[in-house]
């Protein structure tokens, strides 16, 4: 029986691995300097855009850099290899789940580089909460959470106990037609803290995908730290890691979809005097997959998606304690290992 269970688990893991796109990912290698001497490394990001692939050849990963080559490749979905050719003399081939062979030709010279697949893992992935932590979700229950808006019912999101995962639940009304959005928030409110949370975004391609697949957010009161499938995107003010529509990430540290990612967020609450006047605004630091993407961001207002009546989002006395909320935004997002340490 144990052998049968082990076989079933192995098959499940294999199927899960096969579900991930075989070309999408990050690649990095050394430049021997035969053609280009200005950079010592060359990297690549391959992302999927519906029925095409985007191949971006860049100087280095996890940096804001202009690409050497940025092309879209049609007709490779379902094939055993991805072949591309573009400007600046670059061409290449990528085997399924393999490494990238990259060639550059210039002034009659040619060099070939091997870019190895990079599987970045956050240094805080799976980090255990310290003894003084407030554990908000460890996979055993959703007791720390309630529906937002509060309907008096237990947290409605899916609890996958075997995987220790909390998953958004896409709900319809009683007629089975109109989509109901249900965020969830902590029953408790907090002041200064450091929050750890892990999340996984779905792999959504095809013509019927939402405009922004894999969309969610971590709210601290009215301040949203964006969660979005932003792999290989520019990293602007509404991409993953942004203080939504307020501060873009310093660098796009996103990993491909179907990969577990981490946020480590430090929040310092606002302070007020006896008259209720604000003395100091909130501060936020964000580390995404171990990369510092927001540091010392001063929040002069909330960052609600409504881009009008900003004065209603001003901090006021009573905001010293804030609820943490996870957003339901029409996508199946998974969360795990959520805890914080109050300061």
């Amino acid at each position: 029986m144990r052998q049968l269970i082990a076989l079933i688990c192995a098959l499940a893991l294999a199927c899960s691995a096969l579900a991930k796109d075989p070309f999408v990912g990050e690649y990095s290698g050394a430049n021997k300097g035969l053609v280009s001497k200005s950079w010592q490394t060359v990297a690549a990001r391959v992302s999927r855009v519906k029925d095409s692939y985007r191949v971006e050849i860049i100087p280095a990963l996890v940096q804001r850099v202009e690409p050497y080559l940025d092309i879209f490749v049609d007709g490779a979905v379902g094939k055993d290899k991805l072949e591309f050719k573009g400007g600046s003399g670059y061409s290449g081939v990528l085997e399924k789940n393999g490494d990238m062979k990259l060639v550059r030709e210039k002034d009659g010279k040619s060099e070939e580089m091997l870019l190895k697949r990079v599987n970045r893992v956050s240094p805080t992935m799976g980090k255990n909460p310290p003894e003084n932590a407030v554990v908000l979700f460890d996979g055993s229950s959703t007791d720390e959470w309630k529906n937002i808006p509060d309907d008096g019912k237990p947290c409605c999101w899916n609890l996958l106990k075997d995987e220790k995962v909390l998953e958004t639940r896409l709900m319809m009304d009683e007629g089975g037609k109109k989509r109901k959005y249900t965020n969830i928030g902590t029953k408790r409110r907090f002041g200064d803290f450091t929050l750890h949370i892990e999340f996984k975004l779905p792999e959504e391609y095809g013509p019927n995908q939402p405009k922004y697949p894999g969309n969610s957010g971590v709210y601290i009161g009215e301040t949203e730290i964006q969660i979005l499938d932003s792999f290989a995107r520019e990293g602007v003010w509404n991409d993953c890691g942004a203080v939504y529509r307020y501060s873009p990430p310093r660098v796009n540290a996103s990993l491909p979809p179907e990969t577990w990612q981490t946020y480590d967020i430090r929040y310092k609450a606002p302070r007020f005097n006896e008259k209720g006047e604000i003395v100091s605004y909130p501060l936020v630091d964000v580390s995404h997959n171990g990369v510092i993407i927001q540091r010392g961001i001063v929040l002069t207002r909330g960052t609600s998606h409504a881009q009008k009546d900003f004065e209603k989002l001003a901090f006021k006395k009573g905001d010293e304690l804030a609820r943490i909320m996870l957003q339901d935004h029409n996508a199946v997002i998974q969360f795990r290992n959520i805890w914080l340490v109050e300061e």
Side-chain angles (χ1 to χ4, degrees):
M1 177 60 73
R2 289 182 178 178
Q3 290 179 336
L4 178 59
I5 293 174
L7 177 60
I8 292 172
C9 292
L11 288 172
L13 288 171
C15 291
S16 175
L18 290 172
K20 297 178 68 173
D21 192 286
F23 299 128
V24 170
E26 297 176 317
Y27 305 83
S28 183
N31 179 358
K32 296 181 180 180
L34 300 177
V35 175
S36 302
K37 298 181 180 180
S38 59
W39 291 95
Q40 297 302 309
T41 60
V42 175
R45 286 192 292 251
V46 179
S47 55
R48 175 90 174 269
V49 184
K50 294 187 178 180
D51 295 327
S52 298
Y53 289 99
R54 180 189 178 202
V55 179
E56 187 181 36
I57 306 299
I58 51 179
L61 297 173
V62 199
Q63 293 185 22
R64 284 194 180 275
V65 290
E66 293 185 5
Y68 295 137
L69 171 67
D70 190 359
I71 64 170
F72 287 85
V73 183
D74 293 319
V77 175
K79 300 291 182 63
D80 290 331
K81 65 175 63 175
L82 173 63
E83 297 179 282
F84 58 91
K85 188 173 184 179
S88 302
Y90 281 104
S91 61
V93 60
L94 176 59
E95 305 284 344
K96 268 189 177 181
N97 297 307
D99 300 324
M100 180 183 294
K101 292 180 181 179
L102 184 65
V103 176
R104 191 185 183 200
E105 298 178 357
K106 183 179 181 182
D107 299 330
K109 296 180 181 180
S110 176
E111 66 179 340
E112 182 175 308
M113 292 163 279
L114 180 64
L115 275 57
K116 304 287 290 184
R117 180 181 284 269
V118 176
N119 294 309
R120 282 192 293 126
V121 178
S122 170
T124 64
M125 184 67 67
K127 185 176 181 180
N128 292 323
E131 291 184 1
N132 61 336
V134 177
V135 178
L136 297 174
F137 180 73
D138 62 3
S140 61
S141 76
T142 57
D143 291 347
E144 290 286 344
W145 301 85
K146 66 179 182 178
N147 301 324
I148 304 293
D150 189 357
D151 56 5
K153 298 178 181 179
C155 172
C156 69
W157 282 16
N158 295 318
L159 173 59
L160 310 179
K161 281 192 174 182
D162 291 344
E163 303 173 44
K164 297 184 177 180
V165 162
L166 182 59
E167 181 181 78
T168 53
R169 174 170 289 173
L170 304 184
M171 302 173 65
M172 299 293 183
D173 65 10
E174 294 179 356
K177 292 183 179 180
K178 188 176 180 180
R179 171 78 169 85
K180 291 171 62 179
Y181 291 89
T182 305
N183 305 319
I184 63 170
T186 54
K187 294 178 179 178
R188 290 187 266 179
R189 297 175 184 265
F190 305 94
D192 300 349
F193 60 81
T194 298
L195 171 70
H196 175 84
I197 184 168
E198 300 175 11
F199 60 92
K200 185 168 72 171
L201 305 172
E203 188 177 56
E204 294 181 310
Y205 307 125
N208 296 320
Q209 67 182 2
K211 182 178 180 182
Y212 298 113
N215 195 335
S216 183
V218 178
Y219 278 78
I220 303 170
E222 292 294 333
T223 298
E224 179 186 5
I225 310 300
Q226 173 76 305
I227 290 179
L228 187 72
D229 178 9
S230 298
F231 177 65
R233 289 166 63 108
E234 185 179 353
V236 295
W237 66 340
N238 63 343
D239 274 324
C240 199
V243 181
Y244 185 68
R245 290 183 178 265
Y246 189 92
S247 173
R250 295 169 61 174
V251 64
N252 183 2
S254 294
L255 292 172
E258 296 295 336
T259 306
W260 281 103
Q261 307 189 52
T262 63
Y263 273 160
D264 293 278
I265 302 169
R266 187 180 184 193
Y267 178 76
K268 185 175 181 180
R271 266 60 171 179
F272 301 85
N273 60 22
E274 294 179 354
K275 296 180 180 179
E277 300 167 332
I278 192 162
V279 174
S280 61
Y281 287 100
L283 296 175
V284 67
D285 299 333
V286 181
S287 178
H288 184 195
N289 295 321
V291 179
I292 297 173
I293 59 169
Q294 306 279 0
R295 173 175 279 173
I297 302 300
V298 180
L299 303 168
T300 57
R301 58 169 173 77
T303 62
S304 171
H305 68 278
Q307 298 303 302
K308 58 182 180 179
D309 298 331
F310 277 140
E311 63 273 10
K312 294 182 180 179
L313 296 174
F315 293 101
K316 57 187 181 300
K317 193 167 182 60
D319 289 338
E320 295 92 334
L321 299 179
R323 187 190 317 280
I324 296 168
M325 188 181 79
L326 302 180
Q327 184 187 41
D328 166 14
H329 201 299
N330 199 33
V332 179
I333 313 296
Q334 293 186 334
F335 297 90
R336 69 182 185 189
N337 195 20
I338 310 172
W339 50 267
L340 62 80
V341 175
E342 296 179 282
E343 299 178 0

